[in-house]
Amino acid sequence: MASQTSPSPGWAIEKYLGIENDRLSIHGVDAVSLAERFGTPLFVVSAPRIRHNIAALLEAAHHHSRLKLCYASKANNLLGILRVVREAGIDVEVNSGGELFRALRAGFEPMQIEMNGISKSEEELAEAIEAGIYTINLDSPFELELVERVAARLGKRARVTVRLVAGVGTRSHAALQTALYTSKFGVSPSQAREMMRRALAHPELVELVGLHIHVGSQTPDPEPYVEAFTAMWNHLLHLYRETGHRLQHINIGGGIPVNYLRDRSQAEEIESGERVMLGASLTAAEMMKQTIETVRATAVEAGAADLLDGLEIVMEPGRAVIADAVTLLTTVRNQKHRPETGENWLLTDAGYNLMLSMVMYHWYYHAVNGSRAGAPSTARFRLAGPLCDGGDVYFDLHGGHHLPDCRLLPENSQVGDVIAMLNTGAYTISQMTAYNGRPFPATILVEEDGSVEVIRRRDSYEDLLLNENI
Ligand SMILES: *Cc1c(COP(=O)(O)O)cnc(C)c1O
């Protein structure tokens, strides 16, 4: 490596996140100036980082060239973000009629769209069938019948995939695990064969095109993917031998993790299981390599290598596309010292209304003082949001050390400083609420050359009243 004059902090990312004139810079744009120009809270999206993340995910194609990436739009479904994703050349996964509407509005072709959903309405299914999307992932035998009824009514054939539950655990949060028999998702293996036979019995109504398992979000290890893929492969092979029907795809779901602990200065303050999960580094390419190597061995043994080669493998990355492409800028609005505990508090204008995972899953977002990014972060501050709720804090209120008790920031951090919450692209904007009458913030998109575009304007007070009758 070329000689570096000063070591850059762990959170920095070359040509994207760094320090200029002692302040945080995003693609060379001064974060504090952005905060002044657009107001805070403010979500700042890096279009180049989204493209970088997609390119990294596409490296999985080295191990299986027929790869279809469907961005899990529930992670962040702003039109401006969907547009960048679409222009990067990948497809999209939707979880409701509303997300289907957004995907179509963002310009995705119907065959680029696949739909999941645990509790789809007849209307949503009709919208998907009418549009002629790539596939509807069926969550139960009941839903197969419902799709057949809707397809018959519309006089259109639906492409369907059976979503399996595989009894596969991961080292992530209980609520982020979706392939356990105790989870609410998917069709049990004991029911899957009968369900596939039933789907094949009505070829004029449904075309059975694939199998799907989503093991869960922020999955740190490849093993659950290997297990899930093997389970689907065995079903596929059995179906082929029994009926001659060739499934077109296997969908391995999302869950490729993001390293939220690039900066490890406070990692040791986080409980160890959580630390492993938040600091995961599994790549899509590594996951695919291990999965394909294992399954290829079985396929060759079974004389079915061509079946595997002909298969389209679908992945549904959400977090891995968008999480580290977004920075939430928030201003310190109040400060206090508590003589009884000796603690210093900083109160920001962004709470769990914008970072719901912070309280729901104790999710760690690294904090940087954007106004003093060049100063050493050596002082401890209790950080909290603006909401009228004692739970709106940036630490683990229950003392379980899922989050650090205090954040390390520069000594003289104070009112007026702009704090940057890093890696806040996934499950933030798409989960935000207007609790406490707080209008939704603006979101801006920054390009490589530092040009800036507002992709969602800040809500006004009038917007808070939308659809209300007096
Ligand atoms: C949420 C979800 C995803 C995306 O998960 P990430 O962890 O964000 O990659 C993919 N597939 C399904 C079915 C999901 O529910």
Side-chain angles (χ1 to χ4, degrees):
M1 249 185 97
S3 67
Q4 263 184 319
T5 44
S6 62
S8 52
W11 52 262
I13 296 176
E14 223 190 322
K15 292 189 190 145
Y16 166 28
L17 282 178
I19 304 170
E20 271 175 47
N21 304 320
D22 273 346
R23 307 212 296 207
L24 173 68
S25 110
I26 302 173
H27 293 299
V29 184
D30 179 46
V32 177
S33 308
L34 287 176
E36 281 163 5
R37 181 168 159 207
F38 296 100
T40 63
L42 177 71
F43 284 103
V44 183
V45 184
S46 159
R49 188 65 183 179
I50 295 176
R51 293 191 283 266
H52 164 94
N53 289 342
I54 289 172
L57 288 159
L58 284 170
E59 285 184 16
H62 291 319
H63 305 285
H64 187 89
S65 60
R66 298 202 57 202
L67 177 69
K68 182 180 174 82
L69 287 192
C70 292
Y71 168 61
S73 63
K74 80 173 190 286
N76 193 328
N77 61 25
L78 289 187
L79 289 182
I81 285 168
L82 294 181
R83 188 190 71 210
V84 175
V85 169
R86 182 176 59 74
E87 287 172 357
I90 67 166
D91 302 336
V92 70
E93 181 263 354
V94 300
N95 235 281
S96 68
E99 284 186 356
L100 173 61
F101 170 77
R102 278 183 173 275
L104 289 168
R105 183 62 67 88
F108 286 97
E109 294 296 328
M111 279 299 275
Q112 292 184 282
I113 305 173
E114 54 139 335
M115 179 185 255
N116 276 293
I118 183 86
S119 192
K120 307 178 198 78
S121 72
E122 232 175 287
E123 291 72 24
E124 289 175 308
L125 291 171
E127 285 153 18
I129 295 168
E130 199 69 79
I133 68 170
Y134 177 73
T135 196
I136 299 169
N137 293 344
L138 301 172
D139 195 75
S140 67
F142 168 80
E143 201 174 61
L144 170 61
E145 282 179 33
L146 189 59
V147 165
E148 288 179 347
R149 266 209 308 279
V150 177
R153 171 162 64 78
L154 297 175
K156 275 192 108 158
R157 193 175 186 218
R159 290 168 57 89
V160 296
T161 292
V162 175
R163 175 170 183 166
L164 296 171
V165 64
V168 176
T170 76
R171 288 196 293 162
S172 190
H173 279 275
L176 296 184
Q177 302 206 24
T178 48
L180 292 169
Y181 295 136
T182 47
S183 94
K184 66 177 181 175
F185 298 97
V187 176
S188 297
S190 57
Q191 299 176 312
R193 284 186 184 165
E194 171 59 18
M195 186 170 162
M196 289 193 287
R197 274 195 290 272
R198 292 225 326 259
L200 293 181
H202 301 284
E204 73 289 358
L205 298 178
V206 293
E207 182 184 7
L208 179 63
V209 290
L211 287 169
H212 172 264
I213 292 177
H214 169 56
V215 295
S217 203
Q218 189 72 8
T219 299
D221 314 294
E223 288 80 10
Y225 290 101
V226 176
E227 257 186 81
F229 199 103
T230 304
M232 288 188 277
W233 171 253
N234 289 336
H235 277 292
L236 176 142
L237 205 56
H238 186 271
L239 184 73
Y240 178 63
R241 296 220 163 117
E242 189 185 77
T243 66
H245 184 76
R246 263 179 194 257
L247 292 178
Q248 298 165 22
H249 75 259
I250 279 183
N251 185 336
I252 192 66
I256 295 298
V258 168
N259 184 358
Y260 289 83
L261 293 173
R262 276 200 323 278
D263 186 310
R264 298 194 67 85
S265 56
Q266 297 204 266
E268 294 307 315
E269 297 174 56
I270 299 172
E271 183 272 322
S272 64
E274 213 78 346
R275 191 193 312 141
V276 169
M277 191 262 305
L278 287 164
S281 57
L282 177 67
T283 63
E286 184 57 26
M287 179 278 276
M288 188 64 87
K289 177 173 183 285
Q290 298 218 15
T291 303
I292 287 298
E293 277 173 6
T294 307
V295 177
R296 175 161 296 282
T298 4
V300 168
E301 217 171 283
D306 66 313
L307 213 56
L308 181 60
D309 292 336
L311 206 58
E312 184 151 57
I313 297 182
V314 181
M315 272 168 57
E316 307 170 323
R319 218 180 264 291
V321 171
I322 195 65
D324 66 12
V326 180
T327 306
L328 171 57
L329 301 182
T330 172
T331 304
V332 178
R333 302 291 183 183
N334 189 9
Q335 62 188 65
K336 61 179 75 171
H337 177 70
R338 280 246 191 268
E340 293 81 357
T341 61
E343 286 166 339
N344 291 311
W345 287 75
L346 296 176
L347 294 312
T348 72
D349 59 13
Y352 71 65
N353 52 325
L354 306 180
M355 295 175 283
L356 190 61
S357 294
M358 192 166 69
V359 290
M360 210 156 63
Y361 303 126
H362 297 300
W363 210 267
Y364 179 76
Y365 301 109
H366 190 72
V368 172
N369 188 331
S371 304
R372 305 167 197 277
S377 291
T378 50
R380 307 185 78 81
F381 292 92
R382 285 275 195 187
L383 226 56
L387 304 178
C388 188
D389 177 341
D392 181 35
V393 292
Y394 291 40
F395 52 89
D396 183 354
L397 191 63
H398 305 291
H401 300 286
H402 293 103
L403 287 173
D405 288 337
C406 292
R407 297 306 178 103
L408 285 169
L409 294 169
E411 196 71 56
N412 51 351
S413 296
Q414 58 187 266
V415 164
D417 285 1
V418 174
I419 306 289
M421 300 305 294
L422 306 186
N423 311 312
T424 41
Y427 309 106
T428 49
I429 293 171
S430 59
Q431 294 184 337
M432 63 192 176
T433 80
Y435 182 49
N436 264 185
R438 293 191 165 268
F440 286 167
T443 300
I444 61 173
L445 190 79
V446 181
E447 279 293 351
E448 229 130 26
D449 61 0
S451 60
V452 169
E453 178 192 354
V454 178
I455 57 171
R456 190 194 189 288
R457 67 163 174 77
R458 175 181 309 282
D459 278 7
S460 65
Y461 285 155
E462 282 299 324
D463 292 324
L464 291 175
L465 308 181
L466 198 71
N467 298 328
E468 284 187 48
N469 299 320
I470 336 165

